[in-house]
Amino acid sequence: MNATKKILFTDLDGTLLDSQKNISAKNQKAVQAALDAGHKIVVATGRPLVSAIAQSKALGLTYDGCYAIAYNGACIYDFQEQKIIYSKSFPRKFLRTVFDQAYKAHLHVQTYSDESILSEYETESLKRYASITKVPYQIVKDVTQALDSDPHKIIVIDYENHQTLEEFQVQIAPYIEGKLQSFFSDDCYLEFTALNLSKGIAIRHLCDYLQIPIENTVAVGDAQNDIPMLEAAAVGAVMANAGDDIKKHGNYITKADNDHSGVAEVIEKFIL
């Protein structure tokens, strides 16, 4: 058991990244100091794996000791080995139910292949999401036919009205019971994944894989999909910019928000 090394699990949007989706020099320096000291850094995001890998590369987080948890825990990637070490998908037939119900509610819905976003319609929400995440998209006739393998995630998007997504979550619940789970990664994003899956479960899986005790884990996040991660880690650090409903799930709240290097604060206090 690797008892001396610590492992930081950090969300991207609203956490490691500022409001302009950049990493501050102070955050970058703190991350590098942690890696230089032999600790592990894990990007834990709701984004698809292709985006998590691209973003990690852009941030310089691809050295030995760097990992990515994507799709809210459905996939874990080892940068040193350049391979997926954990993956949990769901049957693609479940796509049709969510897609058709989303259309009835006049909402944009999409899933992912290994390389791109897959959507049956080109919408403003799709173009905006692709621009934010820097993931290319494909328009296909039928997502269930376009995929080569079972998917990891579906996302329903509304950039204008969070309440519409809340109503849709309630409306679709009977259709997905026992098949999929739904949760918010952001007020604009309602996500669907396989059951019994979360960033928290992924933390425990990676710690077992690396033989790092859970007592040596630190997680930092700001959103609903970060709650299982914040509760699973020994230190659950909630960003100052998070809502009060999220802050109650951590045991430390940063003084600095994501626009003022809150992750560096966490690294300096709990990792170094």
Side-chain angles (χ1 to χ4, degrees):
M1 188 67 81
N2 196 341
T4 60
K5 300 306 176 190
K6 294 182 180 179
I7 183 165
L8 175 76
F9 297 86
T10 176
D11 176 49
L12 284 176
D13 302 297
T15 303
L16 183 63
L17 303 181
D18 62 23
S19 300
Q20 280 69 52
K21 307 299 181 184
N22 298 316
I23 184 171
S24 70
K26 189 174 180 181
N27 274 350
Q28 188 90 57
K29 185 178 178 181
V31 164
Q32 191 59 55
L35 288 170
D36 290 345
H39 303 297
K40 311 287 188 186
I41 301 289
V42 184
V43 165
T45 180
R47 294 189 187 197
L49 183 60
V50 62
S51 178
I53 291 173
Q55 186 68 72
S56 295
K57 287 180 177 177
L59 300 175
L61 298 178
T62 56
Y63 303 106
D64 178 20
C66 293
Y67 301 82
I69 293 172
Y71 297 119
N72 288 302
C75 208
I76 303 176
Y77 186 82
D78 181 335
F79 281 102
Q80 183 188 21
E81 298 293 330
Q82 295 186 16
K83 69 177 185 180
I84 295 169
I85 57 175
Y86 174 80
S87 177
K88 186 174 183 181
S89 57
F90 58 85
R92 71 192 80 182
K93 64 183 180 182
F94 295 166
L95 289 169
R96 198 70 266 153
T97 299
V98 179
F99 271 63
D100 289 346
Q101 292 301 317
Y103 296 150
K104 288 179 183 177
H106 306 291
L107 289 165
H108 171 74
V109 57
Q110 64 190 44
T111 189
Y112 304 87
S113 68
D114 290 342
E115 299 85 23
S116 65
I117 303 161
L118 294 182
S119 176
E120 294 175 346
Y121 298 98
E122 187 172 45
T123 67
E124 290 306 312
S125 291
L126 172 62
K127 289 186 276 190
R128 180 170 171 180
Y129 179 92
S131 174
I132 290 169
T133 60
K134 296 179 172 57
V135 178
Y137 64 83
Q138 277 185 278
I139 306 301
V140 299
K141 187 175 181 181
D142 183 344
V143 288
T144 62
Q145 300 297 317
L147 283 167
D148 294 326
S149 57
D150 285 338
H152 291 93
K153 188 176 86 162
I154 305 166
I155 182 169
V156 177
I157 299 174
D158 190 331
Y159 284 112
E160 308 303 325
N161 192 340
H162 174 67
Q163 187 178 345
T164 303
L165 290 177
E166 287 190 326
E167 290 168 358
F168 179 70
Q169 185 181 35
V170 172
Q171 171 202 325
I172 199 169
Y175 295 92
I176 64 169
E177 187 176 0
K179 299 174 182 176
L180 298 170
Q181 61 181 351
S182 70
F183 51 85
F184 286 93
S185 60
D186 181 276
D187 282 350
C188 310
Y189 303 146
L190 178 61
E191 314 224 351
F192 296 81
T193 66
L195 300 172
N196 302 315
L197 181 154
S198 70
K199 290 185 182 182
I201 292 170
I203 278 184
R204 289 186 282 272
H205 186 90
L206 187 56
C207 284
D208 288 344
Y209 177 81
L210 297 172
Q211 295 191 304
I212 293 176
I214 203 76
E215 293 79 21
N216 291 18
T217 58
V218 179
V220 56
D222 72 306
Q224 186 187 63
N225 65 324
D226 296 320
I227 291 172
M229 176 172 77
L230 295 166
E231 293 181 338
V235 175
V238 185
M239 295 295 293
N241 47 283
D244 290 341
D245 56 327
I246 310 300
K247 288 176 179 174
K248 65 185 180 184
H249 294 280
N251 48 26
Y252 179 78
I253 299 169
T254 64
K255 295 176 178 64
D257 62 17
N258 66 308
D259 285 324
H260 297 87
S261 308
V263 171
E265 176 188 328
V266 173
I267 290 172
E268 289 160 7
K269 187 173 180 69
F270 297 107
I271 301 289
L272 297 175

